[in-house]
């Protein structure tokens, strides 16, 4: 059949023979081993690229979620401080704020820095004075008690400290913690440091090393006496039902406070930290996308070599009546199969690794006898992962699109091959 007759003939798109021929080209013979190797590397590249993207994005999502939950779960969402007069009316202000819809918890607090010490060691700490009912309402404290209890916290007059601080100082429940503040009583010779020992009534473990190694909670009355707060508090923390509602709640809280106040929220206090996490997350996505792109380019090179090797086959198919569309679809199926199967394999591998990332970290740490995720550096005591279905879908679609685009030029080149020239010089 002539070339013109072949062009005028009709072939059903994606007919069975096109799929069979594409499958045959994927199973390269021994003399085509190099092409098969390139196809194999393309498959592995796309699979590993997709899997790495899913795992890294899931870990960074989990890292951000864990940090956000712990930071705002312990520190609150909004912080109210007085402007022109001390917060001696904190009870009335707290009650008005607690009555607002959208407000979950209001915690008046005395906060101050101090030196904590034992017979074994000493270090800096952030001392917080809170009421028993308030500390019992903060899940990240009340639900993470590892030793002791918060029952009768006000009456016992003791303190609750983090597990890392207890280990560093060599203390446990029942031992005494010495707290030293440079702002003590005023004397004729100047301000004398205040030194007082408190019994440890509870040890908590939030799971964030910075908090477990820094925070000391004591009854509000004790903190007011220790830091010379004459019946007032230094800050009122407001916990909302939704952390993202801080902007909408600001004017309502200012009105309900009924006095001049300064309001800051968790976004202002942690803008730099979470901004850096977002930048790092976006950069990692771009860098890891290059792995998929390189694998897609391998598909291009592999298909071009396959077209060159199969030029005689293409010419024979064209003279037998195969249209240019049929030839193009054969090579589209060949290249797309590598990309789609590699993407699906990477999808399954990525989800498996993301779901078991903490177990894998523990296994590798034991295998190498090293700490692969030090809490002192990453703030968290475990490696978190949060799989975002939207992001996973984006990664999979991006890999499939890149794979399909990579097959267009080699397939078009195969379809444009002149049968006469191919047979003459083949």
């Amino acid at each position: 059949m002539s070339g013109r007759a072949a062009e005028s003939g009709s072939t059903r798109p994606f007919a069975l023979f096109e799929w069979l021929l594409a499958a045959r080209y994927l199973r390269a013979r021994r003399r085509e081993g190099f092409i098969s190797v390139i196809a194999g590397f393309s498959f592995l590249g796309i699979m590993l690229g997709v899997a790495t993207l899913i795992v890294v994005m899931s870990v960074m999502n989990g890292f951000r979620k864990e940090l956000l939950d712990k930071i705002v779960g312990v520190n609150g969402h909004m912080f109210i401080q007085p402007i022109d007069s001390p917060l001696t009316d904190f009870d009335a202000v707290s009650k008005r704020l607690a009555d607002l819809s959208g407000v979950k918890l209001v915690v008046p607090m005395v906060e101050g820095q101090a030196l904590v010490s034992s017979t074994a060691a000493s270090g800096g700490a952030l001392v917080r004075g809170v009421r028993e009912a308030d500390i019992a309402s903060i899940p990240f404290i009340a639900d993470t008690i590892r030793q002791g209890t918060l029952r009768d916290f006000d009456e016992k007059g003791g303190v609750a400290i983090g597990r890392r601080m207890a280990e560093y100082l060599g203390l446990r429940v029942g031992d005494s913690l010495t707290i030293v503040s440079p702002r003590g009583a005023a004397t004729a010779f100047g301000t004398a440091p205040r030194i007082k020992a408190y019994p440890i009534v509870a040890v908590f473990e939030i799971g964030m090393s910075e908090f477990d190694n820094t925070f000391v909670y004591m009854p509000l009355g004790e903190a007011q006496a220790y830091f010379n707060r004459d019946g007032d508090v230094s800050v009122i923390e407001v916990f909302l039902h939704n952390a993202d509602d801080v902007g909408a709640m600001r004017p309502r809280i200012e009105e309900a406070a009924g006095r001049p106040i300064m309001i800051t929220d968790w976004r202002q206090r942690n803008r730099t930290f979470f901004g850096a996490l977002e930048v790092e997350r976006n950069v990692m996505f771009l860098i890891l996308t290059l792995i998929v792109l390189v694998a897609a380019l391998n598909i291009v090179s592999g298909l071009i070599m396959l077209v060159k090797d199969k030029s005689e086959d293409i010419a024979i198919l064209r003279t037998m009546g195969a249209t240019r569309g049929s030839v193009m679809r054969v090579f589209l199926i060949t290249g797309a199969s590598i990309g789609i199967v590699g993407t699906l394999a990477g999808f399954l591998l990525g989800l498996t690794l993301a779901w078991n990332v903490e177990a894998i970290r523990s296994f590798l740490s034991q295998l190498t006898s090293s700490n692969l995720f030090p809490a002192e550096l990453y703030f968290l005591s475990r490696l978190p992962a949060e799989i975002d279905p939207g992001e996973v879908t984006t990664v999979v679609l991006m890999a499939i699109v890149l794979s399909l685009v990579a097959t267009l030029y080699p397939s078009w080149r195969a379809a444009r091959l002149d049968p006469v020239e191919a047979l003459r010089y083949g």
Side-chain angles (χ1 to χ4, degrees):
M1 183 180 292
S2 65
R4 181 174 298 178
E7 287 298 323
S8 63
S10 61
T11 303
R12 182 168 59 87
F14 297 103
L16 180 61
F17 91 91
E18 297 174 3
W19 290 93
L20 292 175
L21 194 57
R24 174 65 187 84
Y25 285 165
L26 285 172
R27 298 192 304 272
R29 290 171 295 184
R30 181 173 300 177
R31 69 184 183 88
E32 301 157 359
F34 186 65
I35 299 174
S36 180
V37 168
I38 293 178
F41 277 118
S42 302
F43 170 82
L44 288 176
I46 291 177
M47 181 185 71
L48 294 178
V50 170
T52 304
L53 265 172
I54 292 174
V55 172
V56 171
M57 300 306 290
S58 298
V59 168
M60 297 198 74
N61 286 337
F63 193 66
R64 184 183 185 279
K65 183 178 182 299
E66 286 287 318
L67 286 176
L68 180 59
D69 288 346
K70 286 181 168 60
I71 288 174
V72 302
V74 175
N75 288 324
H77 303 131
M78 304 182 76
F79 310 89
I80 298 174
Q81 294 174 298
I83 291 179
D84 56 355
S85 60
L87 270 170
T88 53
D89 56 341
F90 64 89
D91 275 326
V93 174
S94 299
K95 186 178 185 306
R96 290 195 295 269
L97 296 178
D99 291 336
L100 292 175
S101 61
V103 174
K104 182 179 180 181
L105 177 65
V106 179
V107 180
M109 181 182 301
V110 170
E111 198 171 62
Q113 294 182 340
L115 175 73
V116 293
S117 64
S118 66
T119 56
S122 63
L126 184 64
V127 180
R128 292 181 159 186
V130 294
R131 298 175 298 196
E132 179 182 337
D134 292 334
I135 193 173
S137 300
I138 302 176
F140 280 98
I141 302 297
D143 296 344
T144 60
I145 300 299
R146 298 294 178 256
Q147 297 179 32
T149 178
L150 293 176
R151 191 178 297 114
D152 300 327
F153 182 67
D154 288 340
E155 287 74 15
K156 291 178 180 178
V159 297
I161 65 174
R163 183 183 66 85
R164 288 186 174 275
M165 178 181 291
E167 291 177 350
Y168 175 70
L169 298 177
L171 299 175
R172 56 182 301 160
V173 169
D175 295 338
S176 293
L177 175 71
T178 301
I179 302 179
V180 183
S181 173
R183 298 180 180 180
T187 67
F189 300 99
T191 302
R194 174 162 291 163
I195 304 174
K196 188 173 181 180
Y198 292 92
I200 298 174
V201 298
V203 175
F204 56 84
E205 184 179 10
I206 298 173
M208 189 170 178
S209 62
E210 185 178 4
F211 292 168
D212 290 335
N213 198 37
T214 305
F215 285 169
V216 174
Y217 286 91
M218 68 168 55
L220 181 59
E222 287 286 342
Q224 287 174 327
Y226 185 83
F227 289 107
N228 298 324
R229 312 292 303 200
D230 189 14
D232 73 322
V233 298
S234 54
V235 65
I236 296 178
E237 291 190 353
V238 179
F239 293 78
L240 306 178
H241 288 290
N242 187 349
D244 294 324
D245 289 343
V246 290
M249 291 296 297
R250 183 181 291 267
R252 296 175 56 196
I253 287 179
E254 288 178 344
E255 181 181 357
R259 57 163 294 154
I261 57 172
M262 179 179 67
I263 300 178
T264 55
D265 59 56
W266 68 270
R267 294 183 302 188
Q268 293 172 305
R269 291 194 172 193
N270 301 283
R271 180 181 290 115
T272 303
F273 183 69
F274 285 104
L277 281 180
E278 189 66 25
V279 170
E280 183 180 4
R281 179 173 169 275
N282 293 335
V283 171
M284 289 297 294
F285 181 84
L286 292 175
I287 292 174
L288 294 173
T289 300
L290 294 178
I291 299 177
V292 182
L293 183 59
V294 170
L297 293 177
N298 284 339
I299 294 178
V300 176
S301 60
L303 282 181
I304 289 176
M305 294 180 64
L306 183 62
V307 169
K308 186 174 181 62
D309 186 74
K310 299 297 183 180
S311 58
E312 293 184 11
D313 293 6
I314 295 170
I316 294 173
L317 285 172
R318 296 280 285 114
T319 57
M320 293 177 63
T323 63
R324 288 180 174 176
S326 292
V327 174
M328 185 172 183
R329 286 191 292 271
V330 168
F331 288 93
L332 277 174
I333 295 171
T334 304
S337 298
I338 299 172
I340 293 175
V341 175
T343 299
L344 294 179
F347 167 74
L348 296 175
L349 178 62
L351 290 184
T352 303
L353 294 176
W355 280 326
N356 299 280
V357 66
E358 173 60 19
I360 295 172
R361 181 203 66 84
S362 300
F363 171 75
L364 292 177
S365 294
Q366 294 177 358
L367 187 65
T368 60
S369 300
S370 62
N371 188 358
L372 299 179
F373 192 74
E376 295 79 6
L377 182 61
Y378 296 103
F379 302 112
L380 301 178
S381 56
R382 55 181 294 274
L383 188 60
E386 180 76 14
I387 298 174
D388 185 343
E391 283 186 351
V392 172
T393 302
T394 300
V395 170
V396 170
L397 291 178
M398 177 198 67
I400 290 177
V401 169
L402 285 176
S403 301
L404 293 177
V405 170
T407 63
L408 292 179
Y409 174 71
S411 303
W412 174 83
R413 184 171 174 176
R416 299 296 298 176
L417 192 67
D418 186 354
V420 176
E421 296 294 325
L423 291 174
R424 178 181 300 172
Y425 299 105

